[in-house]
Amino acid sequence: MARLARTAGLTDVQQEILSTVRDFVDKEIIPVATDLEHRDEYPQQIVDGLKELGLFGLMIPEEYGGLGESLLTYALCVEEIARGWMSVSGIINTHFIVAYMLKQHGTQEQKDHFLPRMAAGDVRGAFSMSEPGLGSDVSAITSKAVKDGDEYVLNGQKMWLTNGGTSSLVAVLVRSDEGHPEGTAPHKSMTTFLVEKEPGFGEVRPGLTIPGKIDKMGYKGVDTTELIMDGLRVPADRVLGGVTGRGFYQMMDGVEVGRVNVAARGCGVAQRAFELGVQYAQQRHTFGKPIAQHQAIQFKLAEMATKVEAAHAMMVNAARKKDSGERNDLEAGMAKYLASEYCKEVVEDAFRIHGGYGFSKEYEIERLYREAPMLLIGEGTAEIQKMIIGRRLLEEYRFQG
Ligand SMILES: Cc1cc2nc3c(=O)[nH]c(=O)nc-3n(C[C@H](O)[C@H](O)[C@H](O)COP(=O)(O)OP(=O)(O)OC[C@H]3O[C@@H](n4cnc5c(N)ncnc54)[C@H](O)[C@@H]3O)c2cc1C
């Protein structure tokens, strides 16, 4: 991108990482993304390349073999990757959330056991809150863990696990009433379990089944699955942080950084849509001139570029706030909300600029058009973001009269 979505104040290291990732995206992702997406094919070669670049360990501390980079560096890399193909950013996102949760909340033994292999990309993470009957209302989770000696027995069904098949470690949020008397608030009786499994489909561990991939309208290539627990036995030392009842807070912490990540994806997809729109508008002629010379199309380009800039600035602000150690739920909620809505609008404008060709699978914008809506839903819908934003505003601007 020549001019849009630049970030001031980056260190030399950040700039070097970003330019390496941008180069990788231009050479290894963009040329193959649409073909792979149409075939719903897992991008193994791209994933191997990301592994080599160390991207699976980008935010994992150096003492565990990672690069120890900030949330901002991570988000800017995600923005670049999503510009190439959103599904690839989805492959690293759940991994990143699980690694972040381990770093923040894991016991020392859990960090030592998982983080070095996660940094190398040999253990890959997925996270699982949603169930067939709920997504937004996490407090309504029905999957359950019951203590049995030194183990817990887990039962229930989970839904919408991104990387459910390809991962080997799933952070699963379930209800665990043990130690929590009847009537305990739902969010205080939930526990995150670290469930290790073989990658693949079918019964991947006794009591744990990953049925096949869910057939999706977009966001293809990356696998999204259900997860069925039927008497799944998990040792007590695989409770994240070693203490039950903290799962809800741990997951919400993970989702908060995940929201910055989804905002970054929205920025990346919108940038690509702008690039495609501005190029096409200069090539296509109607009424004797390039359509870019019609004011209506120029206005569209102006609106698209303004949205790309605004979303990028909010995403960077939310990441920097978290990196400074401050609470960023308001900024992350705003960035996720705005970036996903703007992304959908910019993609639609680029689609319109393409006229009939936008409807053809030969043009990349067709893929982006099917990808953008996922950002309106994942990591909390627009309505949920507005609830978070509204609540925080009322805390900040409490009426003192
Ligand atoms: C491709 C894909 C990948 C996903 N990956 C994962 C994953 O890796 N892990 C995971 O745990 N989940 C994942 N999800 C699930 C995702 O987080 C949920 O779909 C999302 O949170 C919405 O939940 P829902 O689908 O149950 O919708 P619902 O919660 O049923 O909401 C339906 C509609 O009602 C609105 N609504 C709900 N409550 C309110 C309210 N109080 N006020 C106003 N409006 C409301 C919602 O905004 C929405 O418009 C994924 C989803 C998709 C589509």
Side-chain angles (χ1 to χ4, degrees), residues 33-47:
T34 300
D35 269 358
L36 289 174
E37 201 267 355
H38 287 165
R39 294 203 299 271
D40 197 6
E41 188 175 319
Y42 190 76
Q44 190 57 52
Q45 215 174 322
I46 294 174
V47 170

Side-chain angles (χ1 to χ4, degrees), residues 8-313:
L10 295 181
T11 63
D12 290 346
V13 174
Q14 285 175 315
Q15 284 179 20
E16 201 183 310
I17 292 175
L18 276 176
S19 108
T20 308
V21 172
R22 190 172 304 138
D23 203 43
F24 181 82
V25 169
D26 287 336
K27 291 193 181 122
E28 310 291 337
I29 300 186
I30 290 180
V32 296
T34 300
D35 269 358
L36 289 174
E37 201 267 355
H38 287 165
R39 294 203 299 271
D40 197 6
E41 188 175 319
Y42 190 76
Q44 190 57 52
Q45 215 174 322
I46 294 174
V47 170
D48 292 344
L50 295 178
K51 241 167 125 171
E52 238 168 76
L53 292 179
L55 281 188
F56 285 101
L58 195 61
M59 261 189 89
I60 294 177
E62 284 170 304
E63 59 192 292
Y64 299 106
L67 297 177
E69 271 298 323
S70 62
L71 178 60
L72 177 63
T73 313
Y74 180 78
L76 294 174
C77 288
V78 165
E79 184 180 37
E80 288 296 340
I81 292 170
R83 186 177 70 83
W85 185 12
M86 194 179 93
S87 295
V88 179
S89 62
I91 290 171
I92 53 173
N93 178 42
T94 62
H95 176 86
F96 150 78
I97 294 180
V98 176
Y100 173 82
M101 284 167 56
L102 269 161
K103 176 172 81 106
Q104 296 296 108
H105 307 287
T107 63
Q108 193 56 50
E109 185 276 329
Q110 290 168 349
K111 291 181 199 181
D112 292 341
H113 183 72
F114 289 113
L115 287 179
R117 286 179 300 142
M118 291 186 85
D122 295 334
V123 167
R124 300 251 306 282
F127 86 99
S128 173
M129 293 195 294
S130 306
E131 296 185 355
L134 65 103
S136 308
D137 186 6
V138 178
S139 66
I141 278 178
T142 59
S143 297
K144 209 170 158 142
V146 175
K147 188 135 197 232
D148 182 22
D150 286 343
E151 294 179 323
Y152 285 85
V153 181
L154 275 58
N155 283 290
Q157 187 176 351
K158 292 292 187 179
M159 184 75 190
W160 297 118
L161 275 86
T162 302
N163 301 304
T166 40
S167 57
S168 42
L169 170 65
V170 187
V172 186
L173 186 64
V174 300
R175 189 167 297 290
S176 57
D177 293 336
E178 166 254 347
H180 311 292
E182 189 105 340
T184 303
H187 53 280
K188 289 192 176 147
S189 58
M190 288 193 198
T191 298
T192 306
F193 284 89
L194 300 167
V195 177
E196 291 171 84
K197 70 172 185 66
E198 286 300 316
F201 299 95
E203 194 171 19
V204 288
R205 168 180 170 164
L208 180 66
T209 300
I210 307 284
K213 295 193 315 187
I214 298 171
D215 198 9
K216 295 167 293 189
M217 106 188 211
Y219 200 39
K220 289 172 183 276
V222 57
D223 49 299
T224 306
T225 72
E226 296 173 46
L227 175 149
I228 296 160
M229 299 174 287
D230 183 10
L232 169 67
R233 302 189 82 84
V234 182
D237 63 7
R238 288 297 168 257
V239 167
L240 179 62
V243 182
T244 59
R246 294 188 182 162
F248 183 85
Y249 302 100
Q250 294 163 341
M251 282 278 178
M252 289 304 129
D253 190 24
V255 164
E256 205 170 286
V257 289
R259 281 182 184 145
V260 175
N261 172 291
V262 173
R265 283 197 231 178
C267 294
V269 174
Q271 278 171 43
R272 184 66 187 155
F274 174 78
E275 285 173 15
L276 296 172
V278 78
Q279 282 164 20
Y280 188 85
Q282 293 169 81
Q283 289 158 11
R284 180 73 174 174
H285 287 66
T286 67
F287 302 94
K289 53 185 175 186
I291 58 171
Q293 296 305 325
H294 298 301
Q295 195 177 48
I297 299 292
Q298 253 180 45
F299 277 13
K300 255 193 217 312
L301 293 171
E303 283 166 15
M304 290 159 74
T306 307
K307 286 173 183 172
V308 164
E309 278 297 270
H312 178 81

